[in-house]
């Protein structure tokens, strides 16, 4: 008789996590932005991250590039349209172990009214018990999307022909999750 593995639930600890993106501006500099409000969870069978199922969502209205006018523009219909599409989300479809510290995560990313498959690189940073007895695990997650594929289509060109905002957006999540009782 085989024993079924126990499902382990984990929740993102937003106090010890960050969700950021980077995009080239005028091809000469990089603008970094953050989503300040987000949540997510991971379910595993036992303690094996290779069979993880992950879900994540960020509140679009919480976008923060440290420049209020730009943030207002990002929330507009030129980009995210926070009023009509208040969240962006990701749901994993497959996690593959590359080695002891690295995984590939496939899943569906939804921004606005577009859902597309994407691949994320996941680095497992380890597990620890904090001073309050909470079991935690840490991950660095990275990927790249083409913003235009998600209807983030605003574009401009300078008089000299330089692109104001690049199409590629680098995603970076530093996530700490807490094992749920």
């Amino acid at each position: 008789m085989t024993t079924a593995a126990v499902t382990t639930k984990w929740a993102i600890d937003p106090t010890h996590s960050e969700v950021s993106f980077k995009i080239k501006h005028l091809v000469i500099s990089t603008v970094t932005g953050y989503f300040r409000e987000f949540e997510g969870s991971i379910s595993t069978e036992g303690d094996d991250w290779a069979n993880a199922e992950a879900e994540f969502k960020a509140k679009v209205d919480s976008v923060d590039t440290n420049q209020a006018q730009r943030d207002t523009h990002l929330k507009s219909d030129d980009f995210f349209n926070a009023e009509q599409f208040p969240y962006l989300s990701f749901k994993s479809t497959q996690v593959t172990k590359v080695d002891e510290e690295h995984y590939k995560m496939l899943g569906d990313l939804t921004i606005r009214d577009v859902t597309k498959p994407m691949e994320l690189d996941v680095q497992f940073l380890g597990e620890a018990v904090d001073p309050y007895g909470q079991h935690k695990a840490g991950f660095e997650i990275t990927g790249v999307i083409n913003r235009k594929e998600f209807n983030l289509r605003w574009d401009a060109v300078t008089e000299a022909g330089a692109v104001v905002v690049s199409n590629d957006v680098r995603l970076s999540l530093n996530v700490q999750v807490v094992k749920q009782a």
Side-chain angles (χ1 to χ4, degrees):
M1 185 164 114
T2 59
T3 307
V6 175
T7 299
T8 304
K9 301 273 188 190
W10 302 78
I12 289 179
D13 176 356
T15 305
H16 297 102
S17 301
E18 69 178 19
V19 176
S20 65
F21 60 90
K22 293 182 180 290
I23 189 165
K24 289 287 187 189
H25 182 255
L26 296 174
V27 190
I28 59 169
S29 65
T30 301
V31 171
T32 301
Y34 299 88
F35 288 98
R36 300 295 185 188
E37 296 179 41
F38 52 87
E39 61 185 51
S41 63
I42 300 174
S43 295
T44 61
E45 293 302 316
D47 294 324
D48 186 359
W49 297 107
N51 61 35
E53 294 180 5
E55 291 188 28
F56 169 84
K57 74 178 186 176
K59 187 174 182 181
V60 171
D61 201 43
S62 74
V63 69
D64 179 3
T65 63
N66 203 29
Q67 208 284 327
Q69 186 176 357
R70 179 173 45 227
D71 295 345
T72 299
H73 190 204
L74 287 171
K75 295 173 192 177
S76 77
D77 193 39
D78 282 345
F79 289 98
F80 291 109
N81 190 346
E83 187 175 316
Q84 188 173 355
F85 307 104
Y87 294 95
L88 59 86
S89 64
F90 176 84
K91 182 171 177 46
S92 69
T93 56
Q94 180 181 2
V95 177
T96 305
K97 187 173 189 171
V98 176
D99 60 39
E100 290 305 309
E101 295 180 356
H102 298 92
Y103 298 82
K104 292 284 184 192
M105 182 183 296
L106 304 178
D108 295 321
L109 176 65
T110 301
I111 300 176
R112 295 182 57 114
D113 56 344
V114 177
T115 300
K116 292 201 159 284
M118 75 169 304
E119 178 177 286
L120 296 168
D121 293 314
V122 180
Q123 181 179 6
F124 174 59
L125 302 175
E127 293 183 42
V129 176
D130 73 10
Y132 307 102
Q134 295 178 316
H135 191 135
K136 297 189 173 189
F139 301 90
E140 287 185 359
I141 304 165
T142 58
V144 177
I145 63 165
N146 179 323
R147 67 182 177 89
K148 288 190 174 181
E149 292 179 357
F150 292 92
N151 288 334
L152 307 175
R153 298 194 174 274
W154 182 85
D155 233 340
V157 177
T158 66
E159 286 182 24
V163 175
V164 175
V165 179
S166 69
N167 292 336
D168 286 344
V169 181
R170 291 178 286 149
L171 308 176
S172 179
L173 292 80
N174 291 298
V175 175
Q176 191 174 105
V177 293
V178 181
K179 187 183 276 189
Q180 304 299 289

